[in-house]
Amino acid sequence: MGWVLLGLCVPITLSANAGTPLMWAGILHLTLGNLMIGLLEGGLLIYWLGLRQWFFWCALGGMIVANYASSWVGYLILAAVKGLVQSITLLWLKPFFVVCLGVSFLLSLLMEWPVVRWILRCHGKSWKQALRRTFQLHAVSYPLLVAYYFSASGVSLMTDFDLVDTQELIPSRSCTVYYLSIDGASVMRSQIGSEHVPEQVYELEPDSRHDRLFIRSDEEALYDLWLLKGGSPKDQEAQILLKDVTNMAVVEDSQKAPYPHIQPQGFPMPRTTGLHFGEVPSLWSETNSIYRTGFWPVEGLSANADSLRRFQASLETPFLAWSVRNAVEIDEDLLLFQLGPHQICLMHPPTRRLALFALGKGPVVVASR
């Protein structure tokens, strides 16, 4: 498995314009990796059955072709069900991955089974015997492939955090969250720690998935709720929705870009959801918190490099990847952020607790009045 060793040994620098380890691992697998797996599985068949002459080359060539075919079919299936996969939430995350691992193993097994049967035709093997040999091959190669992708993935959000009820993560001071519904057609309001059902406070026309809410201050030192529309900085459009919603909120007025090498001139502020990452502001302080969010899903949510609290929460796998956006610290070490396209979450990093607060996007947190 030379491709596995190559993927583990070659250092990959994580930056916004270089991609992530998982992206490069996938490219390596779809190009050279299948060649190495095919040689491994073909070699095992030759060793187990003592194949000679013509059947020697049939085993090697057949398994190489079978692995390329199964990998590309799997890639196309993932692309086809992308919309369905994005509907998964934290509540079903672990069962989803167990199912994905099982289904991918089964699909690969079924696709390579006829090839193994064709290779074993000289030995008069039945379809049942060919299936047993195919299973044995996968019992060797599949764990190696899982380990390879696992080493390049970010799974700490799934493995290192406990999913708890929102009532376990209540800030010491009352906070209200405004956010867009999943379809972007409604502005919802919900108080953190309250049992009341989220209420609709404004109706909108559904628009870009990058739309989000933000706060601007008025001349009377009160804060108005605004909607930021558009996917790219050139298409941004701001619209005021509600006036005087609070007397304390995070107002975005910095022109500093979180990754200056992407756009040296800086991002226009406020930034849409797709670009709203970087240092995490604090609701009750004029200075930023010790936390930051990254551009790529694997960067997720982490503590700043100069912080003594080392941690990272991320999810980037071949099956599912969620970016962290629109984060704010609402109490000491208590964060609210958007996870993926439509989950609004609460997190307390020191105790590794995570809660699904609401389904929606583009949230903004204000002090309750």
Side-chain angles (χ1 to χ4, degrees):
M1 299 296 288
W3 60 284
V4 175
L5 297 177
L6 180 61
L8 295 176
C9 295
V10 174
I12 300 178
T13 302
L14 189 66
S15 65
N17 56 1
T20 68
L22 183 61
M23 292 170 60
W24 289 106
I27 293 172
L28 189 61
H29 175 212
L30 292 175
T31 53
L32 299 178
N34 287 305
L35 173 63
M36 304 305 297
I37 298 176
L39 290 174
L40 171 66
E41 293 181 346
L44 288 174
L45 283 178
I46 293 169
Y47 176 75
W48 289 339
L49 301 175
L51 299 178
R52 296 291 184 270
Q53 298 177 351
W54 168 252
F55 297 102
F56 177 96
W57 298 109
C58 285
L60 293 180
M63 296 314 300
I64 290 173
V65 171
N67 273 279
Y68 273 106
S70 63
S71 293
W72 281 99
V73 168
Y75 174 80
L76 294 175
I77 291 175
L78 279 177
V81 300
K82 182 179 180 180
L84 178 62
V85 168
Q86 290 299 333
S87 65
I88 300 298
T89 69
L90 285 169
L91 303 178
W92 296 97
L93 185 57
K94 291 182 180 179
F96 169 76
F97 271 93
V98 172
V99 170
C100 284
L101 288 173
V103 170
S104 61
F105 179 89
L106 182 60
L107 287 177
S108 179
L109 184 74
L110 293 177
M111 288 199 63
E112 295 183 22
W113 179 21
V115 178
V116 175
R117 172 68 177 83
W118 174 75
I119 294 171
L120 301 183
R121 68 192 186 281
C122 63
H123 288 258
K125 301 293 184 181
S126 65
W127 281 95
K128 183 177 180 180
Q129 291 171 316
L131 178 61
R132 180 169 61 87
R133 286 297 184 187
T134 308
F135 182 86
Q136 291 173 340
L137 293 175
H138 279 66
V140 175
S141 62
Y142 196 75
L144 293 174
L145 190 61
V146 171
Y148 169 70
Y149 273 111
F150 185 83
S151 68
S153 299
V155 295
S156 57
L157 198 64
M158 179 172 57
T159 59
D160 298 349
F161 287 81
D162 295 323
L163 191 61
V164 300
D165 188 85
T166 55
Q167 296 303 310
E168 294 189 30
L169 299 177
I170 300 177
S172 58
R173 286 178 279 190
S174 182
C175 300
T176 298
V177 183
Y178 291 88
Y179 60 94
L180 300 172
S181 58
I182 294 178
D183 60 4
S186 301
V187 177
M188 309 299 294
R189 177 173 60 196
S190 182
Q191 187 171 342
I192 301 177
S194 173
E195 295 288 351
H196 78 275
V197 178
E199 58 178 324
Q200 179 182 353
V201 296
Y202 203 94
E203 290 188 10
L204 298 166
E205 290 292 331
D207 211 327
S208 169
R209 63 187 179 92
H210 294 292
D211 292 354
R212 75 175 182 93
L213 303 175
F214 70 101
I215 295 293
R216 278 182 177 167
S217 59
D218 59 22
E219 297 177 354
E220 300 177 0
L222 292 174
Y223 299 89
D224 304 329
L225 182 68
W226 288 69
L227 170 68
L228 182 64
K229 304 170 64 177
S232 66
K234 295 181 180 179
D235 300 328
Q236 287 184 9
E237 177 184 345
Q239 171 188 347
I240 188 169
L241 302 180
L242 300 172
K243 292 187 65 66
D244 301 342
V245 295
T246 184
N247 56 5
M248 176 65 70
V250 174
V251 178
E252 300 168 51
D253 56 3
S254 171
Q255 293 291 329
K256 182 180 179 181
Y259 283 91
H261 60 276
I262 301 178
Q263 189 173 349
Q265 297 80 12
F267 291 108
M269 299 294 283
R271 304 190 299 271
T272 55
T273 289
L275 298 175
H276 196 208
F277 58 93
E279 294 185 351
V280 176
S282 176
L283 176 60
W284 306 102
S285 173
E286 294 183 358
T287 60
N288 290 325
S289 70
I290 65 169
Y291 301 100
R292 66 175 293 109
T293 57
F295 177 78
W296 296 106
V298 73
E299 294 177 285
L301 179 65
S302 62
N304 290 329
D306 57 351
S307 171
L308 297 178
R309 303 179 190 177
R310 300 292 182 181
F311 103 101
Q312 186 169 33
S314 64
L315 184 74
E316 184 179 27
T317 72
F319 305 119
L320 188 63
W322 288 335
S323 298
V324 177
R325 295 291 187 268
N326 303 322
V328 61
E329 185 180 45
I330 60 176
D331 204 349
E332 184 177 0
D333 293 318
L334 182 58
L335 308 170
L336 182 138
F337 55 88
Q338 179 179 332
L339 180 63
H342 62 257
Q343 297 177 89
I344 300 173
C345 301
L346 292 166
M347 177 186 286
H348 189 250
T351 58
R352 298 297 194 270
R353 288 182 295 169
L354 177 68
L356 179 60
F357 176 74
L359 294 179
K361 60 183 181 179
V364 64
V365 186
V366 302
S368 299
R369 299 185 66 179

